[in-house]
Amino acid sequence: MPELPEVETVRAGLAPVLTGKRIVRLEQRRPNLRFPFPANFARRLEGRRIENLYRRSKYLIANIKGGESLIMHLGMSGRFTIVPADSEADASGSFTFSTGANPKHDHVTFRTEDGATVTYNDPRRFGFMVMTPTAEFDSHPLIRDLGPEPLGNALHAGHLASRALGRKADLKAFLMDQKNVAGLGNIYVCEALYRAGLSPKRVASCLAKKSGAPTGRAERLVTTIREVLSEAIKAGGSSLRDYRAADGALGYFQHSFAVYGREGEPCRTPGCTRKVQRIVQAGRSTFYCGTCQR
């Protein structure tokens, strides 16, 4: 499942092709993905201009002229492939799944006024596209309960403390709860906790004092979350088995993993002789150093 840096990388690749462009044709090849496509999907988008394209949590959002917004999620295997107007032969960008872009999984194609095409391919069909009036976007069921963006000013130690006060959930589960922080997933939570020196098994309430004020742990965690995500975006995301950046190239942040996927390998903290451990929390693998993370 793509996390914030991967979705942001895809957005950056799509934005120059779609922002400000009018959709002259939309081809919808099946009635549904994870959810049914919006009613009259093609008719509601053809002839209309995409005013801007941005990311909220792990969603791609296109604001459409006329007062509607298109909410898109890549699911587990979604891929956007761009064929620019001046090159009908080569795809310039994609978010790809390991099975490749088999044309039988091309479910939606957008054609812009300048002749470029953007095709959504999704073998597993866990992605989706839904529409909502832009004025009601913040109250949409997918959006209304999302926490602050981790790279924005709304995420600060005080916010984490207020959400964590009295909470018995472990830190890993707390951070992956989209109501607390939007866009975080398994990879980057593991890496941020390692950098902050915090065990994923600690209770979330360790981020708040009895008074409700943030602890030093909360301060460190905000810093490491920002660092890890910023570095991952700069590197183009993490290329595991299912990710390519918006220009078709592999992301490289996986080469910087300190703990994720490194079970049994030496901890990278200088002087630490411990090996990276793996445990399962809420059905997901967690990687950490039992010495450096307390």
Side-chain angles (χ1 to χ4, degrees):
M1 187 74 73
E3 299 184 26
L4 186 154
E6 289 76 48
V7 178
E8 179 59 27
T9 302
V10 172
R11 183 210 62 78
L14 293 175
V17 180
L18 294 178
T19 302
K21 302 298 172 56
R22 187 168 56 88
I23 300 170
V24 295
R25 185 178 179 187
L26 186 148
E27 297 176 18
Q28 177 191 332
R29 301 182 180 90
R30 59 175 298 109
N32 65 297
L33 295 171
R34 191 195 314 181
F35 309 133
F37 280 104
N40 302 312
F41 191 37
R43 192 168 67 190
R44 291 165 71 179
L45 290 179
E46 287 180 347
R48 299 173 69 183
R49 196 171 302 278
I50 297 177
E51 296 184 318
N52 66 320
L53 183 72
Y54 65 100
R55 178 194 53 76
R56 178 71 170 105
S57 184
K58 302 175 187 178
Y59 302 111
L60 289 169
I61 316 297
N63 283 345
I64 311 299
K65 187 172 184 179
E68 290 196 281
S69 292
L70 173 62
I71 303 174
M72 299 173 281
H73 193 279
L74 295 167
M76 296 181 68
S77 61
R79 166 182 182 154
F80 280 105
T81 300
I82 303 166
V83 177
D86 58 357
S87 175
E88 290 298 323
D90 298 318
S92 70
S94 61
F95 181 99
T96 185
F97 181 63
S98 58
T99 57
N102 188 324
K104 75 177 183 180
H105 302 303
D106 288 350
H107 305 309
V108 179
T109 295
F110 304 87
R111 182 175 290 274
T112 66
E113 58 189 328
D114 59 3
T117 61
V118 175
T119 298
Y120 180 73
N121 178 287
D122 191 348
R124 296 189 182 184
R125 302 200 304 271
F126 287 163
F128 59 81
M129 298 182 185
V130 298
M131 294 186 72
T132 185
T134 301
E136 300 174 14
F137 174 79
D138 289 337
S139 61
H140 191 279
L142 293 171
I143 304 299
R144 64 190 178 201
D145 294 325
L146 290 174
E149 288 291 320
L151 295 175
N153 293 333
L155 179 66
H156 49 79
H159 168 77
L160 289 184
S162 68
R163 297 288 301 181
L165 184 64
R167 296 284 295 274
K168 295 182 179 180
D170 58 60
L171 268 179
K172 171 82 176 298
F174 174 81
L175 291 174
M176 290 186 64
D177 185 341
Q178 300 299 293
K179 294 179 181 179
N180 297 324
V181 185
L184 292 183
N186 200 30
I187 295 173
Y188 300 107
V189 168
C190 287
E191 292 296 309
L193 287 172
Y194 169 78
R195 292 197 190 191
L198 296 173
S199 170
K201 297 186 290 184
R202 268 190 173 275
V203 293
S205 59
C206 74
L207 301 178
K209 299 177 182 179
K210 291 183 178 179
S211 65
T215 63
R217 297 185 185 98
E219 301 281 359
R220 294 202 308 274
L221 193 51
V222 169
T223 298
T224 60
I225 288 171
R226 293 184 189 279
E227 288 176 349
V228 167
L229 293 178
S230 296
E231 291 174 20
I233 291 170
K234 186 176 181 180
S238 299
S239 300
L240 302 177
R241 69 184 182 124
D242 60 351
Y243 177 69
R244 287 182 185 270
D247 61 358
L250 295 173
Y252 292 100
F253 189 73
Q254 76 277 9
H255 299 302
S256 300
F257 287 167
V259 287
Y260 188 83
R262 299 188 62 244
E263 179 185 10
E265 297 181 29
C267 174
R268 289 183 172 169
T269 300
C272 180
T273 59
R274 193 79 173 258
K275 292 184 177 180
V276 174
Q277 299 172 251
R278 183 183 74 88
I279 58 174
V280 177
Q281 295 177 293
R284 304 293 298 278
S285 291
T286 297
F287 301 89
Y288 74 108
C289 174
T291 296
C292 297
Q293 294 175 249
R294 307 299 292 272

